[in-house]
Amino acid sequence: MAEPMEVDQKTEPLFVDVLSLINESRMTYGLRNEDYQRYREYCANRVRRLRQILKLSQPNSKKTNVQKPLPAVVTDVRYLQLFIYESERAWAYAMELKQESANSMDTRYHYHLIKRLKRAAQYAQQLLDLCQQQNVDARSILDVKAYTNVLRGYLSFEQQNFQEALNHFIIASYIYEQFAETNSNAEQEALCYSAIDEIAPNIRFCAYKMQISDGQDAESIIKKHRSKEVDDLEAELAKIAQNDKKKNARSMLMLTWRDKEFAVKNESLADAVHKAREARSKLDKMSEMTTGLFDEIISEWAKAEKLCKKALKENKQATAKVASSRSAKVTEDLNQLFTFIEYNLYSTTIQRDLCKARTIEKDGRLQEIIRLYDEILKNAEYIWELPQVKDDISLDGELQTMTLYYKACRCVQVALIYDNMKKTAESLALYQKAQNYVVQAKKGLSDVRSFDKDSILKISEKDLTDLEESIRAGTWKARAAWYLEHGNSSSNADDESNIVDKMSGLDISEGTLIDNLDTYPSIIRKDMLIDFPPKFEPVACKPFYFDLAANFVKYPDQALHDRTKSSSSGGFWGLFGRKQK
């Protein structure tokens, strides 16, 4: 027997991803529709092609029946793929026989099935031995070991050796679990969880046959029935995970935002988020904030946003290929991370615009301030449209209060422009609209009670009170300026004065001052004291019932009255009403 050759340590170790290789082959060549015969034929053709490429094929002769040996030092990963496809061909044949045995009572199918599974396990074991002898990556060796234990577990399961099958399945499940937790690739993570989902029913069935009642789920069974080999694997997996962490100290970053915890497994994405948070913490420590500092933070969050969108795209493609029970959790964590990054990006942009607005306000460039408030409201709408934002009641209430506050601020700035243009009615209408926004914002703030500690943008009761005072001051200033300029009693001034009084809440356009003694007018004109000439008013007359009573009144006789009048004498004595004899 030839002595094994020394392996050159300077050469790059071989790497083979068994899960990706077999999943792509299975889904492409028949197993999407459970066509095991087509997949078996593909594996046979692939083995024949690999033997031709690697020059391991023999001439078609009945006398030649011995395969060519492998080289002492394997430097091509296709030698490893050869054993993988040999094992897959035998496994596919076994599954094809299992389908046929389900509709037949013939025991030969089951006997042949066990032979094919035994052949598949043998090829997998040969692959594992070859990987351990050659310069192969440690992660690849563990991947091959998990694949070997899966096939050996299926063989023991069909042979009804449930204790041995359970041990093999536990080893494979533990390896895939550790791979999924330490892997930053979304597709690899989905493949690992999919492999765990395929093994879990077999673990539960073996536990049922062995009358193990420790738990109904596979995870509890794995934790309580770990073998010694699993403990040995734990050290190897810990070493691999430690080597991966040395590449980037911020991999597997755990974040907690608004009482929700999620992990960042992508190394580059975790690094970008870490840098953005560091820049933000530096800004919070500074007493004076400038737009340049905000621009630096926005650029860091923009980089993280780009990487997160890429991760979401990869996760979508991975879940389209392979779905597992934990795919929804991974997607939810990515969506939560995307919302976290976008919230920080848009909130920092709003803070920068507010800082610009405060700087420009000193120069009196009102139109530029209005444009900035338009951008602020637009960014607030973007935050509202993010995933999982509307499901968070507190965050939704905070955004609504914040939007109402900034709308009121924008109305005040527009009102100042109209006031400068001598359009008092429009200015007062905008002040009134701003006041309505403030009232709604106060109600929203009372519903929210207090902003979350993770909120970057916060509106306090003092902010709303200050804004309300500025609205009140602007209203009276606009009215005073108008009356100083239009103090005359012309017809146009009267019409505008009525409009101003209506906008100010002092409507005395109907009636005069004497009819509105409980209202304080903004100006008193000569023609609004009393109505002159007076208005026509109905005059009280005798009651109606007098006319009805006249029918029942007895008046003195008219003839007697005439005689008395004619018998009266004239002269001096007639003045005193003295009668003559």
Side-chain angles (χ1 to χ4, degrees):
M1 182 176 180
E3 295 181 359
M5 296 180 62
E6 295 183 359
V7 180
D8 188 6
Q9 299 296 332
K10 295 182 180 180
T11 59
E12 289 290 333
L14 297 177
F15 176 78
V16 58
D17 191 351
V18 181
L19 272 180
S20 297
L21 184 65
I22 64 175
N23 180 75
E24 185 178 355
S25 300
R26 288 178 180 181
M27 293 296 103
T28 307
Y29 297 99
L31 288 200
R32 193 180 295 273
N33 300 318
E34 295 186 357
D35 190 353
Y36 291 101
Q37 182 179 2
R38 180 188 172 193
Y39 181 59
R40 177 169 63 90
E41 292 174 355
Y42 163 75
C43 291
N45 294 331
R46 185 62 182 163
V47 167
R48 183 167 58 252
R49 180 59 180 163
L50 285 174
R51 286 189 173 277
Q52 291 175 356
I53 294 173
L54 299 174
K55 301 187 182 302
L56 295 177
S57 60
Q58 293 279 36
N60 189 8
S61 174
K62 294 182 181 180
K63 297 180 180 180
T64 306
N65 199 18
V66 181
Q67 295 181 355
K68 287 185 178 181
L70 298 177
V73 179
V74 175
T75 57
D76 194 342
V77 73
R78 285 176 291 188
Y79 285 103
L80 307 180
Q81 294 178 3
L82 177 63
F83 287 96
I84 293 174
Y85 283 111
E86 286 279 14
S87 180
E88 284 290 291
R89 180 175 65 172
W91 172 83
Y93 197 4
M95 295 298 103
E96 182 183 350
L97 293 171
K98 190 172 185 178
Q99 280 185 340
E100 295 177 359
S101 65
N103 300 323
S104 176
M105 298 296 294
D106 195 351
T107 58
R108 290 180 300 174
Y109 287 110
H110 187 262
Y111 174 74
H112 200 182
L113 162 67
I114 293 176
K115 286 186 64 176
R116 291 294 95 191
L117 284 177
K118 190 178 295 184
R119 181 62 62 85
Q122 288 175 355
Y123 280 120
Q125 187 63 42
Q126 291 177 13
L127 173 63
L128 179 60
D129 295 340
L130 180 63
C131 291
Q132 291 174 346
Q133 294 172 2
Q134 302 295 329
N135 186 17
V136 181
D137 183 57
R139 183 179 287 272
S140 300
I141 294 176
L142 288 174
D143 196 359
V144 172
K145 184 176 290 188
Y147 177 68
T148 304
N149 278 277
V150 169
L151 292 179
R152 292 177 66 183
Y154 285 148
L155 175 61
S156 301
F157 187 88
E158 293 295 335
Q159 292 175 341
Q160 297 187 359
N161 188 355
F162 298 111
Q163 178 63 56
E164 186 177 350
L166 180 62
N167 294 335
H168 289 308
F169 287 138
I170 286 176
I171 292 171
S173 180
Y174 182 76
I175 293 174
Y176 288 140
E177 180 76 25
Q178 297 301 315
F179 279 178
E181 291 180 357
T182 58
N183 206 321
S184 60
N185 191 338
E187 185 174 356
Q188 291 293 323
E189 186 179 1
L191 286 172
C192 291
Y193 284 133
S194 177
I196 293 171
D197 291 343
E198 291 180 2
I199 297 171
N202 295 322
I203 293 176
R204 292 196 299 269
F205 188 80
C206 291
Y208 166 74
K209 285 293 185 180
M210 295 172 61
Q211 298 182 357
I212 296 175
S213 59
D214 293 335
Q216 299 296 328
D217 57 335
E219 293 182 1
S220 60
I221 297 172
I222 292 172
K223 289 179 180 179
K224 295 183 179 180
H225 295 275
R226 293 172 53 177
S227 61
K228 185 178 180 299
E229 190 173 356
V230 174
D231 297 333
D232 298 337
L233 286 173
E234 188 174 2
E236 297 181 20
L237 288 167
K239 187 184 296 184
I240 294 174
Q242 187 176 4
N243 293 333
D244 292 340
K245 288 181 180 179
K246 286 181 180 179
K247 296 178 182 178
N248 195 325
R250 288 180 287 272
S251 61
M252 289 296 295
L253 179 64
M254 297 299 297
L255 294 175
T256 303
W257 183 64
R258 302 190 71 89
D259 300 331
K260 292 182 180 179
E261 188 176 5
F262 48 95
V264 186
K265 296 184 178 180
N266 191 303
E267 296 177 0
S268 57
L269 180 56
D271 185 59
V273 172
H274 185 76
K275 288 181 179 178
R277 294 179 73 193
E278 282 185 346
R280 181 73 203 186
S281 61
K282 292 179 182 178
L283 178 65
D284 294 337
K285 295 177 182 178
M286 294 183 179
S287 58
E288 185 177 356
M289 298 181 182
T290 60
T291 56
L293 296 174
F294 285 116
D295 290 335
E296 181 182 354
I297 299 173
I298 290 171
S299 64
E300 294 294 338
W301 283 117
K303 293 177 184 177
E305 178 194 20
K306 184 177 180 180
L307 293 172
C308 189
K309 287 182 178 179
K310 182 180 179 182
L312 282 170
K313 183 178 180 181
E314 291 176 354
N315 178 73
K316 185 177 181 181
Q317 294 174 352
T319 51
K321 293 180 180 179
V322 182
S324 64
S325 59
R326 306 191 191 185
S327 299
K329 179 65 172 59
V330 175
T331 305
E332 183 181 356
D333 286 349
L334 276 175
N335 286 330
Q336 187 69 25
L337 175 62
F338 179 72
T339 303
F340 169 73
I341 293 173
E342 293 288 283
Y343 175 81
N344 281 273
L345 176 62
Y346 291 133
S347 299
T348 309
T349 306
I350 290 174
Q351 284 187 320
R352 182 195 61 184
D353 293 340
L354 289 173
C355 183
K356 284 184 179 180
R358 285 191 293 268
T359 306
I360 297 172
E361 190 175 3
K362 300 176 183 178
D363 302 334
R365 292 183 287 172
L366 298 178
Q367 292 185 352
E368 184 68 18
I369 296 175
I370 294 171
R371 187 189 66 80
L372 289 173
Y373 274 113
D374 288 337
E375 293 294 329
I376 289 171
L377 293 173
K378 189 184 297 183
N379 289 325
E381 288 294 330
Y382 290 155
I383 295 175
W384 227 325
E385 294 173 359
L386 293 175
Q388 303 177 355
V389 168
K390 294 186 178 180
D391 297 336
D392 192 342
I393 299 176
S394 62
L395 180 57
D396 184 71
E398 291 176 8
L399 289 173
Q400 186 174 5
T401 304
M402 183 183 69
T403 303
L404 290 171
Y405 173 75
Y406 292 134
K407 282 183 178 180
C409 292
R410 184 184 181 279
C411 286
V412 170
Q413 299 299 326
V414 179
L416 288 174
I417 291 181
Y418 276 110
D419 194 16
N420 295 335
M421 297 169 62
K422 310 301 181 183
K423 295 184 178 181
T424 309
E426 291 84 350
S427 176
L428 291 173
L430 287 167
Y431 279 127
Q432 187 175 1
K433 189 172 184 180
Q435 180 63 30
N436 294 335
Y437 283 140
V438 171
V439 172
Q440 296 177 21
K442 282 186 175 181
K443 184 179 181 302
L445 186 61
S446 63
D447 295 338
V448 173
R449 294 183 182 179
S450 63
F451 280 68
D452 193 83
K453 57 182 176 57
D454 294 327
S455 299
I456 297 177
L457 301 170
K458 298 180 180 180
I459 306 300
S460 63
E461 187 72 28
K462 183 179 181 302
D463 296 331
L464 295 173
T465 304
D466 294 343
L467 181 59
E468 196 170 19
E469 290 180 358
S470 65
I471 292 171
R472 189 180 296 110
T475 302
W476 290 107
K477 183 179 178 181
R479 292 178 56 227
W482 189 90
Y483 283 118
L484 286 174
E485 185 176 355
H486 303 84
N488 54 7
S489 58
S490 62
S491 58
N492 294 333
D494 293 341
D495 295 339
E496 293 183 13
S497 178
N498 292 333
I499 296 174
V500 169
D501 289 335
K502 287 182 179 180
M503 295 301 176
S504 304
L506 304 172
D507 188 6
I508 58 173
S509 59
E510 295 183 0
T512 55
L513 181 62
I514 197 170
D515 297 327
N516 297 276
L517 295 177
D518 57 341
T519 304
Y520 179 76
S522 57
I523 189 171
I524 298 176
R525 301 188 301 270
K526 295 179 180 180
D527 58 344
M528 59 180 288
L529 298 178
I530 59 173
D531 289 327
F532 188 81
K535 296 179 181 178
F536 289 102
E537 295 181 358
V539 179
C541 61
K542 64 180 181 179
F544 179 69
Y545 65 85
F546 281 175
D547 297 334
L548 298 176
N551 299 326
F552 303 95
V553 174
K554 293 182 178 181
Y555 296 100
D557 189 5
Q558 185 68 24
L560 181 61
H561 177 68
D562 293 341
R563 280 198 309 272
T564 303
K565 186 176 181 181
S566 60
S567 62
S568 61
S569 59
F572 177 77
W573 295 106
L575 295 173
F576 297 98
R578 185 175 180 178
K579 297 181 180 179
Q580 296 180 359
K581 294 182 180 180

